[in-house]
């Protein structure tokens, strides 16, 4: 308990000030994206009103870019990658935790290299490989890279969760005659659901926001993700403030909406996956 | 982290289930469970890294054929003025970029976590959610938004400073060679301060309440409890945050590319290793991309990150004592 | 239905030996309790019978089948775990039928078995509930039900009552005893609680440091413990021990004397003058004041009153504490010096190696 009200007030003032600093720039961009050009420059800090309200920027973004396609691409890439990272990650985490065999510790170490070493440094060879495999400029290439990128961290996090599942459960399943594969898919996997939030923070967010791999692996407009698409659009229309602000807002708003809906799970996932 | 998943406290012997399984079936089971993860990871993460390092020992002649040259690319990169000047510039800038994060992001993150973990604080989940929000956004979005806000054209930043009587402090910070890099680093700090805050906050929550109660009974105030009890107990997390910051910073690219382009202007003042790597590999303006030199730059970045990680794992982490509660 | 035979089981983790040359035969339909302090190897032994752990060497037979190489499911056993180990994402019915699905039991047969087990354990109203909505006692009954529907040859219980509160522990204990009468199946039950062992077992196996100390009927262990460990382990409060030395042998009577004992007369054995002994007397066999074959004197330090009896903690002449149980309302006051005695038939004598004489 903060016994002195004055000190409590001080703490709140600091936190409110910092929250304003965190939220202000985002609000400013979103707010001005709904205003006409004159109002953007005339009174940047004023919210849109009846006279200044305008959707001209949004209309331009829809007309001049494939924003819907970008969005769909990002959704496909992120969801498919997440599914595979979770599935393969959970399977590997279970096998490494549950079955000991010669070399399993070495394998676990090998898999953990990717936690610390960014996959980006292999870009030169990745691009060559994708070109050779004919996967250049496809969403498949992005998915493969993102799965490889997400696996080490997800195996690490999921191993922690697997270890928290009581050992008696798999013993009971074995006494019950449940085959080993079914033990994973029907007993263990359903119990890993709470881990999804934690894995999401560490894998989905970087995938959704990544600029690097779309930049080097996709060249045509139809395979751009939202991050790259918006980046290219912004570069092209840099002087058209309405369009720029609208494009930024359209990239911000879905993320903020999803974040607000799931923030409790995401944050509890983050603090659970953390670390003493 | 709570001990890597590679570490086992006790070598558990093979379970009866594994022992009573025919060898072939056990291998098939392991192939099923580990196969997909190991295959994708090896093929698209480890192999490219090794291939990149291998490529850094080759060069292309005028006909485009690859020729093995050993460490010549590295010698060129570190000594030939055409390459070494921008390389050392980028490396130095990267160090500055990292220093700003360590000196600004992590102390602010610790302070915010300390405030949020005060017992009985109201609205803490709201503060937490809001302060973490920028971390969720793409670096591209954040970079561009700040680009607009700091732009003298729009005048929002200037207006804000004028409002508090500091109008004369304003300058086009992103455009000046002397301030561009630090400004970019501060934008990055603004975005990512949520990560140290959350990790340290989680660590602070793990400290048992009895310990804090005991300190209060001993007569310590909130600040002293934080400084003398909580902070030493979360040092391992601060170490972890530092290494995550290090890896992230020496791998950064998106923000500078978004705000300043591949040329990382003005006059390469904001060039870091990530942008230097991109230019080397893909080329820029009239200069053609050079895959083998690009691979050499990536290899050097790999060794810098590796050195940092090893320093952390073998020296810092071992000195930081972990306390079991 | 089947008996169980364990032949020279050894288990080592590296240099640490967890079980050493365990031999044990259990007849069909018998209720055997493995009891011992934590870390004595009793749970490891049970897990080996289940097939969850592999012995380093030795054979396990269930019925007449050598089961060493068989997976748990093939051994016709069912196990009830301390933590219940109910699948949290399945309701009670699914928890009970889940295993049957994989062992080729027809759906109609599954339903019949679940209905029967539910009736036996009074679980009919709980079949649609999830484990999180059940009390500890209900969870334990579901865990037992899950074992029953498998219709195993041998039931294995791993400390099934330790997570229950005291009252529930007693009623569940009675339930398990009733079930054993009803099913007539072979049951092996691990516990560290000697009361569970005494009340449930046809035979008790007392284990210590990876070895079997004694196998016997509950009252055999109480009245004729084979060695110091069993004597000290069975009975609560624990037996008092006194060091002693043979003073004289007269025909079939031996007189032994120790620093704390005034006088003790014992049936003669293969003892000689000067042999070192340990004398054991249970607190409930000590009587204050009255003369007896064995007697000892000490100062009362503390009296714990339980109601039906009181425990007097008495400081002996060798400065160690002993406990005497006192019935009735007359309890000695702290500080009082009291002489306690016991008749010869309640005095246990152990030789220098700790074996019963």
């Amino acid at each position: 308990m903060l016994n002195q009200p004055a000190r409590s007030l001080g703490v709140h003032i600091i936190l409110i000030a910092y929250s304003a600093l965190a939220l202000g720039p985002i609000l400013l961009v979103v707010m001005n994206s709904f205003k006409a050009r004159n109002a953007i420059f005339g009174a940047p800090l004023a919210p849109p009103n009846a006279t200044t309200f305008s959707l001209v920027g949004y209309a331009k973004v829809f007309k001049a870019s494939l924003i819907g396609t970008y969005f769909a691409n990002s959704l496909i890439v992120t969801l498919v990658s997440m599914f595979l990272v979770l599935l393969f990650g959970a399977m590997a985490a279970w096998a490494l935790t549950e079955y000991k065999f010669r070399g399993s510790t070495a394998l676990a170490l090998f898999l953990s290299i990717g936690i610390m070493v960014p996959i980006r440094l292999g870009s030169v060879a990745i691009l060559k490989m994708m070109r050779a495999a004919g996967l250049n400029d496809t969403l498949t290439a992005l998915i493969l890279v993102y799965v490889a990128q997400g696996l080490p961290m997800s195996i690490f996090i999921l191993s922690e969760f697997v270890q928290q599942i009581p050992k008696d459960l798999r013993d009971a399943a074995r006494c019950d005659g449940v085959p080993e594969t079914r033990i994973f898919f029907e007993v263990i996997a359903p119990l890993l659901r709470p881990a999804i939030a934690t894995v999401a923070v560490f894998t989905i967010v970087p995938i959704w926001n990544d600029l690097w791999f779309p930049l080097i692996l996709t060249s045509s407009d139809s395979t751009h993700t939202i991050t790259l698409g918006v980046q290219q659009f912004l570069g092209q229309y840099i002087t058209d403030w309405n369009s720029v602000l609208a494009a930024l807002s359209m990239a911000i708003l879905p993320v903020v909406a999803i974040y607000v809906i799931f923030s409790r799970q995401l944050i509890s996932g983050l603090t659970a996956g953390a670390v003493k | 982290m709570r001990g890597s998943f590679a570490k086992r406290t006790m070598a558990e012997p093979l379970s009866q289930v594994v022992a009573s399984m025919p060898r072939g079936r056990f291998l098939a089971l392991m192939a099923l469970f580990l196969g997909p993860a190991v295959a994708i990871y090896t093929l698209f993460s480890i192999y490219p890294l090794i291939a990149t390092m291998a490529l850094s020992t080759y060069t292309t002649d005028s006909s485009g054929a690859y020729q093995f040259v050993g460490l010549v690319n590295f010698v060129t990169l570190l000594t030939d003025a055409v390459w070494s000047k921008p390389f050392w510039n980028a490396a130095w800038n990267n160090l500055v970029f990292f220093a700003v994060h360590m000196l600004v992001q992590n102390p602010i993150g610790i302070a915010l976590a300390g405030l949020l973990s005060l017992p009985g604080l109201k609205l803490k989940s709201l503060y937490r959610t809001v302060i973490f929000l920028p971390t969720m956004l793409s670096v591209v979005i954040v970079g561009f938004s700040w680009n607009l806000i700091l732009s003298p054209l729009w005048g929002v930043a200037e207006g804000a400073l004028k409002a508090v009587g500091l109008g004369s402090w304003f300058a086009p910070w992103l455009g000046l060679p002397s301030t561009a890099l630090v400004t970019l680093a501060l934008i990055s700090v603004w975005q990512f301060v949520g990560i140290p805050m959350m990790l340290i906050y989680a660590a602070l929550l793990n400290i048992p309440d009895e310990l804090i109660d005991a300190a209060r009974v001993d007569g310590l105030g909130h600040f002293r409890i934080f400084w003398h009890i909580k902070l030493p107990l979360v040092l391992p997390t601060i170490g972890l945050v530092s290494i995550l910051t290090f890896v992230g910073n020496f791998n950064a690219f998106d923000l500078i590319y978004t705000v300043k382009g591949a040329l990382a202007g003005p006059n390469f003042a904001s060039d870091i290793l990530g942008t230097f790597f991109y230019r080397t590999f893909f080329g820029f303006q009239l200069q053609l991309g050079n895959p083998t030199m690009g691979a050499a730059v990536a290899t050097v970045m790999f060794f810098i990150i590796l050195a940092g990680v090893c320093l952390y794992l073998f020296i810092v982490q071992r000195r930081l004592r972990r306390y079991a509660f | 239905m089947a008996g169980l035979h364990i032949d020279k089981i050894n288990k080592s983790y590296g240099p640490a030996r967890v079980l050493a040359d365990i031999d044990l035969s259990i007849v069909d339909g018998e209720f055997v309790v493995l009891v011992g302090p934590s870390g004595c190897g009793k749970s490891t032994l049970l897990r080996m019978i289940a097939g969850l752990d592999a012995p380093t060497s030795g054979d396990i037979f269930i019925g007449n089948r050598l089961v060493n190489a068989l997976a748990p499911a093939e051994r016709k056993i069912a196990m009830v775990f301390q933590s219940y180990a109910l699948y949290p994402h399945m309701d009670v019915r699914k928890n009970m039928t889940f295993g049957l699905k994989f062992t080729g039991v027809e759906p109609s047969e599954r339903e019949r078995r679940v209905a029967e087990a539910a009736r036996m354990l009074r679980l009919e109203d709980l079949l649609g509930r999830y484990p999180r909505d059940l009390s500890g006692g209900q969870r334990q009954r579901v865990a037992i039900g899950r074992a029953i529907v498998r219709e195993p040859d041998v039931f294995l219980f791993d400390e099934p009552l330790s997570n229950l509160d005291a009252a529930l522990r007693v009623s569940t204990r009675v339930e398990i005893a009733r079930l054993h009468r009803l099913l007539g199946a072979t049951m092996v039950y691990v516990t560290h609680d000697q009361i569970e062992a005494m009340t449930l077992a046809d035979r008790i196996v007392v284990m210590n440091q990876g070895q079997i100390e004694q196998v016997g009927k509950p009252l055999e262990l109480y009245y004729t413990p084979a060695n110091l460990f069993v004597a000290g382990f069975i009975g609560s409060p624990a037996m008092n021990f006194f060091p002693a030395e043979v003073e004289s042998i007269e025909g079939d009577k031996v007189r032994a004397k120790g620093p704390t004992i005034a006088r003790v007369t014992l049936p003669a054995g293969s003892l000689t003058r000067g042999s070192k002994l340990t004398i054991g007397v249970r607190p409930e066999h000590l009587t204050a004041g009255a003369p007896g074959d064995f007697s000892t004197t000490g100062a009362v330090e503390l009296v714990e009153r339980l109601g039906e009896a009181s425990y007097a903690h008495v400081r002996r002449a060798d400065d160690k504490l002993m406990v005497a149980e006192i019935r009735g309302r007359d309890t000695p006051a702290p500080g009082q010096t009291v002489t306690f005695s016991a008749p010869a038939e309640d005095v246990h004598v152990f030789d220098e190696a700790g074996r019963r004489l």
Side-chain angles (χ1 to χ4, degrees):
Chain A
M1 245 108 320
L2 288 173
N3 22 28
Q4 297 101 324
R7 187 185 293 171
S8 169
L9 186 69
V11 169
H12 280 287
I13 287 173
I14 296 172
L15 287 171
I16 288 170
Y18 200 89
S19 299
L21 181 63
L23 208 53
I26 300 167
L27 267 179
L28 192 71
V29 167
V30 173
M31 206 167 70
N32 281 289
S33 74
F34 292 107
K35 290 176 9 187
R37 189 179 162 84
N38 287 344
I40 294 174
F41 284 96
L45 297 180
N49 58 33
T51 50
T52 58
F53 184 81
S54 160
L55 290 175
V56 59
Y58 288 89
K60 253 187 229 163
V61 174
F62 274 112
K63 216 174 106 203
S65 78
L66 299 172
I67 189 116
T69 309
Y70 304 155
F71 198 82
N73 287 343
S74 273
L75 214 56
I76 292 168
V77 167
T78 308
L79 290 181
V80 174
S81 303
M82 179 199 74
F83 175 76
L84 294 177
V85 163
L86 274 172
L87 177 69
F88 296 155
M91 283 162 65
W94 169 248
L96 288 172
T97 314
E98 177 60 21
Y99 306 103
K100 304 292 178 314
F101 50 92
R102 215 174 307 130
S104 61
T105 307
L107 190 60
L109 264 175
F110 172 71
L111 286 168
S112 62
I113 296 172
I115 295 177
M116 283 302 185
V117 179
I119 188 171
R120 238 177 228 194
L121 298 180
S123 299
V124 179
I126 289 176
L127 184 60
K128 273 179 76 175
M129 267 172 77
M130 293 300 179
R131 277 186 185 145
L135 289 172
N136 197 32
D137 200 20
T138 63
L139 298 183
T140 312
L142 286 178
I143 290 169
L144 287 170
V145 171
Y146 289 144
V147 173
Q149 171 186 281
L151 274 171
M153 196 64 182
S154 88
I155 293 174
F156 178 82
I157 296 167
L158 288 163
S159 293
E160 300 266 326
F161 279 89
V162 165
Q163 276 162 18
Q164 285 165 21
I165 295 176
K167 300 260 179 290
D168 281 353
L169 276 181
R170 55 110 158 100
D171 285 345
R174 277 179 190 150
C175 288
D176 270 355
V178 185
E180 293 297 308
T181 46
R182 298 290 195 96
I183 290 180
F184 173 75
F185 286 105
E186 293 188 35
V187 177
I188 304 301
L191 299 178
L192 288 174
R193 224 175 304 161
I196 293 174
T198 308
V199 175
V201 181
F202 288 99
T203 60
I204 299 179
V205 175
I207 294 174
W208 181 271
N209 288 337
D210 187 42
L211 174 67
W212 177 265
F213 283 112
L215 189 63
I216 68 163
L217 290 178
T218 67
S219 44
S220 52
D221 224 17
S222 60
T223 50
H224 282 356
T225 59
I226 184 95
T227 304
L228 178 62
V230 166
Q231 195 267 342
Q232 307 255 297
F233 179 87
L234 295 176
Q236 231 173 317
Y237 291 83
I238 185 84
T239 51
D240 183 347
W241 284 63
N242 285 97
S243 307
V244 165
L245 288 167
L248 285 172
S249 300
M250 285 166 77
I252 291 172
L253 288 174
V255 176
V256 171
I258 290 171
Y259 173 67
V260 168
I261 294 169
F262 292 108
S263 66
R264 191 168 289 273
Q265 287 91 324
L266 283 174
I267 286 178
S268 75
L270 188 69
T271 46
V275 239
K276 283 201 178 133
Chain B
M1 315 223 153
R2 235 176 277 151
S4 127
F5 62 86
K7 266 188 255 161
R8 305 270 171 230
T9 40
M10 202 177 91
E12 212 179 293
L14 285 175
S15 75
Q16 166 76 30
V17 179
V18 174
S20 64
M21 208 183 282
R23 199 171 160 69
R25 247 184 71 203
F26 181 67
L27 286 177
L29 190 69
M30 289 305 94
L32 171 70
F33 277 115
L34 288 165
V38 172
I40 294 182
Y41 169 76
T42 309
L43 205 56
F44 296 103
S45 185
I46 296 299
Y47 167 74
L49 257 178
I50 295 169
T52 299
M53 282 190 233
L55 189 66
S56 69
T57 59
Y58 285 83
T59 190
T60 41
D61 58 24
S62 48
S63 69
Y66 286 99
Q67 264 184 332
F68 181 77
V69 289
L71 298 178
V72 167
N73 289 339
F74 296 96
V75 175
T76 310
L77 182 63
L78 299 178
T79 56
D80 181 345
V82 178
W83 289 98
S84 73
K85 235 185 97 203
F87 170 77
W88 288 115
N89 174 54
W92 170 253
N93 286 343
N94 221 146
L95 205 61
V96 172
F97 194 70
F98 172 60
V100 171
H101 281 79
M102 288 299 284
L103 294 175
V104 182
Q105 173 189 281
N106 294 349
I108 292 179
I110 294 167
L112 289 172
L115 291 180
L116 284 176
S117 70
L118 284 174
L121 182 76
K122 300 227 169 59
L123 295 174
K124 68 174 70 169
S125 73
L126 181 67
Y127 291 132
R128 230 170 37 189
T129 307
V130 168
I131 296 172
F132 195 70
L133 177 61
T135 308
M136 303 295 295
L137 296 176
S138 160
V139 173
V140 170
I141 306 305
V142 168
F144 236 95
S145 300
W146 276 102
N147 205 2
L148 299 182
I149 291 165
L150 296 177
S151 155
L153 267 177
W154 200 8
V156 173
E158 197 175 0
L161 282 177
K162 266 188 192 141
V164 291
L166 297 171
S168 60
W169 287 26
F170 181 79
W173 291 303
L174 280 173
L176 298 175
S178 57
T179 52
L181 180 66
V182 173
T183 308
L184 284 161
L186 289 174
I187 293 172
S188 172
V189 166
W190 173 85
Q191 173 168 25
F192 290 118
V193 77
I195 290 175
M197 179 188 81
M198 293 303 297
L199 292 178
I200 292 163
Y201 174 69
L204 288 171
L205 287 188
N206 274 330
I207 300 175
D209 290 340
E210 286 90 351
L211 205 61
I212 307 307
D213 289 343
R216 290 183 59 194
V217 171
D218 285 347
L220 272 72
H222 284 299
F223 181 75
R224 283 174 164 220
I225 288 177
F226 183 77
W227 190 254
H228 291 292
I229 295 175
K230 291 183 175 179
L231 206 56
L233 290 177
V234 299
L235 271 184
T237 308
I238 294 174
L240 176 78
V241 164
S242 306
I243 189 64
L244 289 179
T245 309
F246 177 81
V247 174
N249 285 168
F250 276 85
N251 181 34
F253 164 79
D254 298 18
L255 178 69
I256 299 193
Y257 181 76
T258 300
V259 177
K260 309 282 4 169
L263 284 171
N267 192 23
F268 301 111
S270 59
D271 197 21
I272 59 171
L273 291 170
T275 42
F276 178 59
F277 169 44
Y278 180 86
R279 278 201 317 278
T280 311
F281 181 29
F282 285 99
F284 60 102
Q285 290 175 342
L286 295 175
Q287 183 174 326
L288 283 173
N290 185 337
T292 54
M293 279 309 281
V297 175
T299 303
V300 171
M301 288 168 73
F302 171 79
F303 281 112
I304 290 174
I305 289 172
L306 189 71
V309 171
C310 288
L311 193 75
Y312 166 73
L313 285 181
F314 297 118
I315 297 176
V316 179
Q317 199 191 29
R318 292 206 174 166
R319 295 231 174 138
L320 294 175
R321 287 189 51 187
R322 264 143 218 276
Y323 299 91
F325 298 123
Chain C
M1 297 297 143
L4 186 66
H5 182 70
I6 290 164
D7 193 21
K8 290 233 173 339
I9 287 287
N10 279 283
K11 177 72 174 178
S12 318
Y13 292 102
R17 209 156 175 214
V18 182
L19 289 173
D21 286 334
I22 300 287
D23 288 313
L24 183 64
S25 278
I26 297 171
V27 299
D28 186 11
E30 199 176 12
F31 197 125
V32 169
V33 175
L34 308 180
V35 69
S38 60
C40 71
K42 56 190 191 297
S43 282
T44 310
L45 183 58
L46 192 77
R47 290 173 60 82
M48 283 178 188
I49 298 172
L52 294 169
D53 281 343
T56 310
S57 69
D59 293 327
I60 298 173
F61 297 86
I62 296 177
N64 289 320
R65 279 193 309 161
L66 177 66
V67 297
N68 284 21
L70 296 185
E74 300 164 320
R75 297 187 177 201
K76 296 198 151 183
I77 51 99
M79 187 150 165
V80 177
F81 294 85
Q82 179 178 355
S83 64
Y84 321 130
L86 300 181
Y87 308 120
H89 54 299
M90 301 180 194
D91 63 16
V92 169
R93 181 188 304 276
K94 186 92 194 294
N95 257 288
M96 284 164 56
T97 53
F98 183 59
L100 300 179
K101 218 164 69 179
F102 302 103
T103 39
V105 179
E106 295 298 318
S108 60
E109 170 67 5
R110 285 180 222 160
E111 285 310 307
R112 188 193 65 75
R113 290 191 194 178
V114 168
E116 195 184 317
R119 190 178 45 75
M120 215 184 289
L121 294 161
R122 298 185 307 282
L123 291 169
E124 288 105 327
D125 298 337
L126 306 177
L127 288 175
R129 296 231 205 135
Y130 282 85
R132 60 174 175 274
D133 302 322
L134 301 177
S135 69
Q138 290 169 334
R139 286 181 203 181
Q140 190 53 275
R141 298 217 304 277
V142 174
I144 294 172
R146 185 171 65 183
I148 290 176
V149 296
R150 302 204 60 228
E151 301 189 342
D153 287 346
V154 181
F155 282 87
L156 306 172
F157 294 89
D158 190 6
E159 310 223 10
L161 306 184
S162 13
N163 285 357
L164 300 178
D165 63 44
L168 215 49
R169 210 175 295 169
V170 174
S171 62
T172 312
R173 204 170 73 203
V174 173
E175 186 108 2
I176 291 175
R178 187 175 65 91
L179 218 59
H180 178 237
R181 265 207 325 280
L182 208 65
L183 298 169
T186 310
M187 294 187 174
V188 184
Y189 185 110
V190 162
T191 180
H192 61 269
D193 182 321
Q194 47 154 319
I195 297 178
E196 280 172 38
M198 296 291 281
T199 52
L200 285 169
D202 293 327
R203 274 195 307 155
I204 296 178
V205 178
V206 182
M207 295 183 64
N208 182 37
Q209 297 187 340
Q211 285 175 318
I212 292 180
E213 297 281 352
Q214 189 174 3
V215 182
K217 296 199 166 73
L219 293 185
E220 266 172 42
L221 300 189
Y222 180 80
Y223 285 112
T224 54
N227 52 45
L228 277 176
F229 179 80
V230 177
F233 190 78
I234 301 285
S236 172
M239 188 184 279
N240 300 300
F241 294 115
F242 306 87
E245 196 172 290
V246 174
E247 198 181 50
S248 67
I249 304 173
E250 293 158 24
D252 60 348
K253 294 272 181 185
V254 173
R255 286 175 64 84
K257 198 175 154 72
T260 61
I261 318 162
R263 165 173 65 88
V264 62
T265 316
L266 301 158
S270 53
L271 293 169
T272 55
R273 230 180 97 83
S275 299
K276 296 249 189 301
L277 301 174
T278 302
I279 309 281
V281 185
R282 296 193 183 279
E284 55 270 38
H285 295 147
L286 286 169
T287 318
D293 300 309
F294 163 93
S295 66
T296 183
T297 302
V300 175
E301 275 203 4
L302 174 80
V303 179
E304 290 180 302
R305 284 167 289 271
L306 272 71
E308 82 275 16
S310 301
Y311 295 134
H313 294 258
V314 179
R315 181 72 62 188
R316 314 180 330 198
D318 61 355
D319 217 32
K320 288 187 175 138
L321 277 175
M322 68 170 187
V323 179
E325 186 181 314
I326 292 158
R327 299 249 150 204
R329 294 168 185 244
D330 254 357
T331 56
Q336 208 178 325
T337 301
V338 182
T339 299
F340 292 94
S341 60
E345 67 263 30
D346 289 332
V347 176
H348 306 267
V349 183
F350 304 91
D351 66 13
E352 227 183 325
R355 283 186 302 267
R356 179 183 192 81
L357 287 174

